Amino acid sequence: MFITFEGIDGAGKSTQVKKLQKHLAERGLEVLVLREPGGTPVSEQIRELLLQGKEDITPVGELLLFAASRAELVQKVIVPALDEEKAVILDRFYDSTTAYQGYGRGLDLSMLGEINRIASCGRKPDLTFYLDLSPEDAMIRKFSEKSIPLAFEEEELDRMERSGLEFYTNVRRGYLQIALEEENRFVTLDATVSPQDIHDEILRALVGRFPGLGY
Ligand SMILES: Nc1ncnc2c1ncn2[C@@H]1O[C@H](COP(=O)(O)OP(=O)(O)O)[C@@H](O)[C@H]1O
Ligand SMILES: [Mg+2]
């Protein structure tokens, strides 16, 4: 079983991954939780470059680094785990590339489709849970986590924060477009309700696909 989680930062992916991991483990499954980019020594080094690095990276460079990290993770870790009948829960996968590099950064979507196919060795998740949250709500969550006072009116934001908001609005639009195109795999969830209500929705969808794994 291969399940992925998607959504912008702050949408609640980590929270739901933990709940689903617990649920599946209680059903007797061996569960492997991973997050992208990362999960192998090389992929973790690429993660450092992408997320902590101080250097500018071009959009295509960024795309190919994410793809390289994914190819490593899929071949070395995910495929072997699936072959051993483990449940793999992955926090972000190629839909993030489509949403962020495609809809967010404006890279060509058919090129991205081809790179995603290569990097994932043709593997598709059985189910993808997309936690849908507006960038504004995500920002409120993040600021409240860090107890930073929130400058919320557009005109009070600096240039970076404004472009951030526009970028994430495009990313969200991308996810919602994927939802239209991949309706059998991609489950859109309202991320504004309580974590437990979201978890219950996830279990409902899970049972639809894998009867016997519900409550
Ligand atoms: N359904 C929810 N409603 C309100 N707050 C939530 C919900 N789910 C998660 N949070 C909170 O929002 C923040 C981001 O959640 P997290 O699971 O880390 O998101 P992500 O992994 O997508 O960035 C955390 O402080 C978390 O406690
Ligand atoms: Mg997280």
Side-chain angles (χ1 to χ4, degrees):
M1 178 194 307
F2 184 20
I3 292 171
T4 61
F5 279 83
E6 293 287 349
I8 61 176
D9 271 346
K13 297 183 297 300
S14 299
T15 305
Q16 294 303 322
V17 164
K18 279 199 206 98
K19 284 181 177 291
L20 182 61
Q21 175 181 23
K22 183 164 175 283
H23 177 85
L24 293 177
E26 284 168 0
R27 294 291 170 291
L29 288 174
E30 212 176 317
V31 188
L32 183 62
V33 173
L34 300 160
R35 58 126 167 66
E36 275 208 349
T40 75
V42 170
S43 302
E44 288 293 333
Q45 287 184 41
I46 296 173
R47 181 186 181 91
E48 284 283 304
L49 265 177
L50 280 167
L51 303 184
Q52 255 73 55
K54 301 275 179 282
E55 299 294 327
D56 264 5
I57 305 176
T58 63
V60 174
E62 178 186 79
L63 166 71
L64 295 175
L65 283 169
F66 275 114
S69 164
R70 180 166 306 138
E72 282 287 303
L73 181 67
V74 172
Q75 282 206 31
K76 289 185 178 162
V77 182
I78 293 177
V79 168
L82 293 174
D83 287 348
E84 291 169 15
E85 311 279 306
K86 289 181 184 158
V88 175
I89 304 176
L90 180 53
D91 187 335
R92 295 195 179 283
F93 196 40
Y94 55 56
D95 298 307
S96 286
T97 302
T98 306
Y100 283 74
Q101 276 70 49
Y103 288 85
R105 302 244 189 265
L107 295 182
D108 179 72
L109 291 172
S110 63
M111 173 192 65
L112 289 189
E114 184 66 5
I115 287 172
N116 281 344
R117 198 182 55 72
I118 295 167
S120 59
C121 306
R123 295 283 171 149
K124 273 196 164 200
D126 296 302
L127 279 172
T128 298
F129 294 112
Y130 164 55
L131 296 160
D132 183 50
L133 189 68
S134 72
E136 292 86 347
D137 283 347
M139 217 157 74
I140 290 171
R141 279 190 193 172
K142 258 192 275 182
F143 278 98
S144 74
E145 249 181 349
K146 295 178 185 155
S147 315
I148 299 169
L150 181 63
F152 191 52
E153 295 298 316
E154 275 273 327
E155 52 272 23
E156 292 176 30
L157 300 174
D158 68 19
R159 188 187 62 81
M160 277 307 294
E161 285 164 332
R162 270 202 305 275
S163 84
L165 209 56
E166 190 186 329
F167 174 74
Y168 284 107
T169 300
N170 287 330
V171 170
R172 185 190 196 193
R173 194 168 56 79
Y175 276 130
L176 293 171
Q177 185 59 37
I178 297 169
L180 293 177
E181 291 166 11
E182 301 265 354
E183 53 181 25
N184 289 327
R185 165 177 74 87
F186 208 81
V187 180
T188 302
L189 301 158
D190 176 358
T192 64
V193 301
S194 76
Q196 187 57 44
D197 285 350
I198 296 170
H199 180 61
D200 289 342
E201 280 292 321
I202 286 173
L203 292 190
R204 262 193 287 282
L206 187 74
V207 177
R209 180 57 67 91
F210 299 98
L213 283 181
Y215 281 118

